[in-house]
Amino acid sequence: MKIAIIADPLDKQNAGIHYYTKWMINALISEDSDNIFYVIRNGKTPVSKKFVHVNVPTISFPGFLTFRKFFIIPRLIKKHNIDVVVEPAH
């Protein structure tokens, strides 16, 4: 199964959701070897060699974050034939 984690909190926050996402990824690295994991985020540094890193940069332009969230990321998810998407958010 292909599982994508939209891990923007790793790059934009340093509080609850950031830590939840970080520890969830660490747990998946150590516990799950049956699935293929994709990490979709703004950051360029891969979180692990066990994950497929997909960099989706943000641009400081009015409306771009909405376009990124509702068009660019779903298109990438479809392109990679992702089965499950996890987005840690409020």
Side-chain angles (χ1 to χ4, degrees):
M1 183 175 281
K2 292 182 178 181
I3 301 170
I5 301 168
I6 301 175
D8 286 332
L10 294 178
D11 305 312
K12 297 179 181 178
Q13 298 180 11
N14 200 17
I17 295 173
H18 168 89
Y19 288 108
Y20 174 83
T21 305
K22 181 179 174 180
W23 288 105
M24 177 181 60
I25 289 171
N26 288 338
L28 291 170
I29 288 169
S30 65
E31 298 294 327
D32 190 333
S33 60
D34 297 333
N35 298 300
I36 300 169
F37 289 96
Y38 290 74
V39 174
I40 301 170
R41 61 188 278 225
N42 182 34
K44 294 180 181 179
T45 306
V47 295
S48 169
K49 292 181 181 181
K50 293 184 177 184
F51 285 66
V52 178
H53 181 78
V54 181
N55 181 25
V56 182
T58 58
I59 298 171
S60 181
F61 186 80
F64 182 78
L65 291 177
T66 301
F67 184 75
R68 178 183 181 270
K69 187 172 191 165
F70 293 109
F71 292 99
I72 296 173
I73 291 175
R75 203 168 200 198
L76 286 169
I77 290 167
K78 187 174 182 179
K79 175 184 172 186
H80 290 283
N81 295 315
I82 303 295
D83 298 305
V84 176
V85 177
V86 178
E87 182 179 14
H90 297 309

